[in-house]
Amino acid sequence: MDLLKGASIKKHYDDIEFIMEKYNSPQAAYRRKELLEALMVHVKKTVPYYKNITNLNELKNFPVVNKNIIRDYFEEFKSDAYHDEKLYSRYTSGSTGTPFRIYYNRNKKNRNTADTLYFANRSGYKVGQKLVYIRHWDQYNSKDTLSSFLQNILMHPVSKLSDSDIQGLMDKIAEDPSPKSILGYASALTTICNYLESKKSPPINANVKSVIAMSEYLSAKSKEQIKYYFGVEGLSRYSNVENGILAQQFPGGTNFHINWASYFIEILKPDEDVPVTPGKPGRIVVTDFYNYSMPLIRYDTGDIGCMAIEDSFNGAPYLERVEGRKMDMIYNTKGELITSYVTYHLLKYPKIKQFQFIQENSNTYLFKLNVYDDFDMETEMIDEFKTHLGESAIIKVKYVNDIPLLLSGKRKLVINKMLEKQKGEHAIDK
């Protein structure tokens, strides 16, 4: 169909492949420069939000924006050049449950399709394979019966991951001998693997060619489980609804290979709009080369990441880590900000189905645990986490039957009530 319509997606795919795999060539460098300069010219001429801002001759002079700014000035972020064209809305409830919406033009939509095909292909997926897609499905993203059939997608709701639901899904994919790939939230994949481990299941003979986790980072234990049960390496993808695929791991490594073909990514200091030194964590700020209908330039994703130089794949800068949202970071008892991924140490304790970690104040922490009946490692767990959080940490445990899903279909694994309180006080001050 793409060929009949002029091969737009194929041309994008070839462009992405060239820029990603020939990153250091003069031609690829010129192409990236060309994309950025064309975007800046377009924005200065057609986007009302930027028309009265002077000295926008370099990217660093553009203001950093975020979801709140875009919501407040929503109409001003729309390009005047696209008023009469068909646009495609993209909607997310986000990890905070606050709705956020933007629009794509046709070329941006095609670019995202090509990005998806390129990064999926690098993971082992081939066009036409069955895709087992585990996510939150609603009226905004669900596919009709014909579309799901033509695209060979098995839509499995993330809300249906009870033991019987998981067993049913495993039976269904094992009955189908065709090659297939699995794409889902990392927390959903972890829930599936923990169930299989609790049942002492043998590997699933389902002809799985790739497993990609999105929205959250796959822990080392979950990767081991995926390799055992599905026979392939579990890979993490960093993406969002408002932009698309920003970075992804490839088989054989842990680097997040940045999508330099479609975006320019900066890592800025937590409280200042200047770059951090390489290797230091900071805010992930994205400039989208292709959304001309509602351009996102220097868009603060709300996520924290750490960039390093000279990716072994293509010599480009890459993300060593994607730490998750700034609001998901936690403090130890010394007042030092530490990564929320410290909570992944929980995953090595057997018999835990689900968990949620809550920092209540400067030295008090709460674990909500959904466990199997024979879980008996609370004391060992508390002792270990005191080594991560501080010996004076007060660690409480509450046993629950379920960790509720957000509107997005994801589970919020970490909550920092201190940061939420600070955010609320700051909003009142303003």
Side-chain angles (χ1 to χ4, degrees), residues 269-380:
K269 292 183 178 180
D271 300 306
E272 191 177 358
D273 294 340
V274 297
V276 301
T277 56
K280 298 290 185 181
R283 292 175 294 143
I284 299 176
V285 175
V286 175
T287 295
D288 187 329
F289 292 151
Y290 279 88
N291 192 351
Y292 272 44
S293 60
M294 201 167 178
L296 295 180
I297 293 188
R298 304 196 85 194
Y299 169 68
D300 187 338
T301 62
D303 298 324
I304 299 293
C306 184
M307 189 181 286
I309 58 174
E310 292 192 33
D311 190 343
S312 57
F313 164 63
N314 60 0
Y318 64 96
L319 293 174
E320 282 185 307
R321 301 188 304 279
V322 180
E323 301 281 9
R325 303 193 64 77
K326 183 179 177 182
M327 291 299 293
D328 293 339
M329 303 294 278
I330 57 180
Y331 292 98
N332 62 21
T333 55
K334 296 179 181 178
E336 299 167 335
L337 199 62
I338 61 175
T339 175
S340 59
Y341 288 133
V342 70
T343 59
Y344 278 24
H345 287 287
L346 272 179
L347 298 176
K348 68 187 176 189
Y349 292 95
K351 308 302 181 182
I352 295 179
K353 296 182 185 178
Q354 303 165 332
F355 74 86
Q356 186 177 69
F357 176 90
I358 301 171
Q359 177 157 22
E360 297 186 328
N361 56 45
S362 60
N363 70 338
T364 304
Y365 310 87
L366 170 66
F367 280 112
K368 289 186 177 180
L369 300 180
N370 177 11
V371 301
Y372 291 98
D373 292 339
D374 53 347
F375 175 74
D376 61 354
M377 302 191 73
E378 178 180 312
T379 301
E380 294 91 329

Side-chain angles (χ1 to χ4, degrees), residues 13 16 109-123 125 131 183 212 237 244-245 248 259:
Y13 185 99
I16 295 161
K109 184 173 181 290
N110 287 344
R111 186 69 174 197
N112 271 22
T113 299
D115 278 334
T116 300
L117 293 175
Y118 174 78
F119 281 90
N121 180 267
R122 294 289 315 192
S123 74
Y125 170 82
L131 179 65
L183 175 64
I212 298 177
R237 172 182 290 175
I245 297 176
Q248 184 185 292
N259 184 2

